[in-house]
Amino acid sequence: MKTVIKAEIVAHSINEQGDELISVLATFPRIILAEVNMHRMLSKNTSSSRAIPFNKMVETIKEDPFIPIAWQEDHKGMQGTKYLDPVFAKQAEQEWLIARDYALSIAGQMNSSTHVTKQLANRLLEPFMWTTMLITGPKSGWDNFFHLRCPSYTFHTEESEKDFIFRSKKDVILFSQSSIDSK
């Protein structure tokens, strides 16, 4: 079975004052761990790449590596709007797997020939790892987390008195382009 991004509420309690405490078990690519850890209103505990035996980590990454599901074109700023053509996306995926194989090879050499600890050898493999995290926090912490990660964008046209609400900047751009094209 291939690992997928997922989140499951494993505990949800409400005290007598109405305060909610929610725990989520989340699985996601390790490369976004730093972004998740930025949220201080939530308490987190993550599986450790230092604790997993080296050979087990190698086998996991060979069998079930993290591979991006979409390949965005190079862009300025934090949010891009264009994705690679399918031909280039396939090439990017092949190059990603070549990088994985190279990282596995070098980490394996370090572990076997120089006897570098798994704590360091496993670090070379992190871009290709999945991680699981237990995240617990009050409802206000979760509200803040989703507000920062799921902004809404308002688009107003002069022709309509109605505001259009979108969940991504990409959707606003596509909508505005289709509005212009339909004129």
Side-chain angles (χ1 to χ4, degrees), residues 1 3 13-14 44-45 52 58 60 76 81 86 97 104 107 120 135 142 152 174 177-178:
M1 183 175 115
T3 304
S13 59
I14 304 173
K44 300 165 284 293
N45 190 344
I52 299 170
V58 166
T60 299
K76 292 181 180 179
T81 58
L97 291 173
L104 285 167
L120 294 175
I135 311 167
W142 285 105
S152 57
L174 291 173
Q177 288 173 343
S178 69

Side-chain angles (χ1 to χ4, degrees), residues 25-43:
L25 188 62
T27 301
F28 52 89
R30 182 140 183 126
I31 63 172
I32 64 170
L33 180 61
E35 284 79 8
V36 176
N37 281 337
M38 294 297 293
H39 296 277
R40 294 177 38 193
M41 295 178 76
L42 301 171
S43 179

Side-chain angles (χ1 to χ4, degrees), residues 166-179:
F166 298 92
R167 299 303 288 172
S168 74
K169 187 176 176 183
K170 177 183 171 187
D171 290 341
V172 173
I173 292 168
L174 291 173
F175 178 80
S176 65
Q177 288 173 343
S178 69
S179 296

Side-chain angles (χ1 to χ4, degrees), residues 18-171:
D19 301 320
E20 295 182 57
L21 188 64
I22 303 165
S23 293
V24 172
L25 188 62
T27 301
F28 52 89
R30 182 140 183 126
I31 63 172
I32 64 170
L33 180 61
E35 284 79 8
V36 176
N37 281 337
M38 294 297 293
H39 296 277
R40 294 177 38 193
M41 295 178 76
L42 301 171
S43 179
K44 300 165 284 293
N45 190 344
T46 308
S47 57
S48 171
S49 63
R50 296 178 338 161
I52 299 170
F54 179 74
N55 290 333
K56 183 176 180 181
M57 183 64 67
V58 166
E59 198 57 37
T60 299
I61 292 171
K62 281 182 183 177
E63 297 295 320
D64 188 20
F66 162 68
I67 301 171
I69 57 175
W71 298 89
Q72 217 172 55
E73 288 185 13
D74 189 21
H75 56 85
K76 292 181 180 179
M78 291 183 66
Q79 278 195 356
T81 58
K82 295 181 181 176
Y83 290 84
L84 293 180
D85 172 90
V87 172
F88 293 118
K90 187 67 178 165
Q91 180 181 345
E93 182 175 320
Q94 291 169 346
E95 290 169 354
W96 182 267
L97 291 173
I98 290 168
R100 176 213 48 190
D101 294 345
Y102 190 66
L104 285 167
S105 174
I106 296 300
Q109 288 174 13
M110 290 176 71
N111 182 260
S112 65
S113 64
T114 57
H115 306 291
V116 168
T117 177
K118 67 183 176 202
Q119 294 178 17
L120 294 175
N122 282 350
R123 297 285 186 203
L124 296 176
L125 307 178
E126 287 185 356
F128 313 99
M129 290 181 189
W130 292 93
T131 194
T132 300
M133 175 183 271
L134 181 64
I135 311 167
T136 300
K139 185 174 182 313
S140 59
W142 285 105
D143 288 345
N144 178 262
F145 177 86
F146 286 113
H147 173 72
L148 293 172
R149 291 290 175 240
C150 305
S152 57
Y153 297 87
T154 305
F155 184 80
H156 184 83
T157 62
E158 293 178 16
E159 297 81 29
S160 170
E161 294 181 18
K162 179 181 174 186
D163 284 341
F164 297 91
I165 308 295
F166 298 92
R167 299 303 288 172
S168 74
K169 187 176 176 183
K170 177 183 171 187
D171 290 341

